[in-house]
């Protein structure tokens, strides 16, 4: 079973990396970029066919390792 | 207009970071993780309402800055 986890910074948390990318895009001639926020994506292969168990496991993985829930949100999508 | 760009490694490209995460998940007691690949996500705000122009701009941003198209694929999603 394949899953995709997307981890993004919560709104209000400063994102200097995103700001740097926004500046670089401006320098490359892309006008009209109002903001950039960078996050992480994890594509996970799971050896189970139980969707509910897989989702519970994936959320536990996020809480324990993949996301810092103080400053980050995550979404879990199972294919 | 908001857009999300997801940049992932092409299949076949080694991902030591993903391997390390897979090992860490195993050490945390998550069995059955067959593989992990890490990628990047960019949430971009654009000051335009022209969907076609926005998509062309976003693809150009990926080709020029956000993705290394030799080893990475990207997808663009406009909301």
């Amino acid at each position: 079973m394949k899953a995709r986890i997307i981890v993004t910074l919560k709104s209000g948390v400063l994102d200097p990396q995103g700001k740097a990318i926004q500046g670089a895009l401006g320098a490359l001639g892309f006008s009209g970029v109002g903001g950039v926020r960078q996050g992480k994506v994890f594509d996970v292969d799971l050896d189970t066919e139980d969707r509910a168990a897989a989702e519970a496991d994936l959320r536990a993985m996020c809480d324990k390792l993949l996301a810092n829930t103080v400053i980050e949100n995550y979404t879990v999508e199972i294919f």
Side-chain angles (χ1 to χ4, degrees), chain A residues 1-66:
Chain A
M1 187 173 278
K2 286 182 184 298
R4 171 162 281 179
I5 294 167
I6 294 180
V7 177
T8 51
L9 282 172
K10 288 184 177 172
S11 59
V13 178
L14 290 179
D15 182 6
Q17 198 171 6
K19 278 278 170 211
I21 293 166
Q22 187 180 348
L25 288 172
L28 281 172
F30 294 103
S31 58
V33 178
V36 179
R37 310 272 290 169
Q38 181 166 2
K40 288 172 285 188
V41 56
F42 303 96
D43 288 325
V44 183
D45 274 335
L46 289 173
D47 307 335
T48 172
E49 292 307 316
D50 180 344
R51 242 183 132 75
E55 180 158 355
D57 262 7
L58 290 162
R59 292 194 172 276
M61 287 176 199
C62 289
D63 289 329
K64 287 190 185 163
L65 183 73
L66 300 178

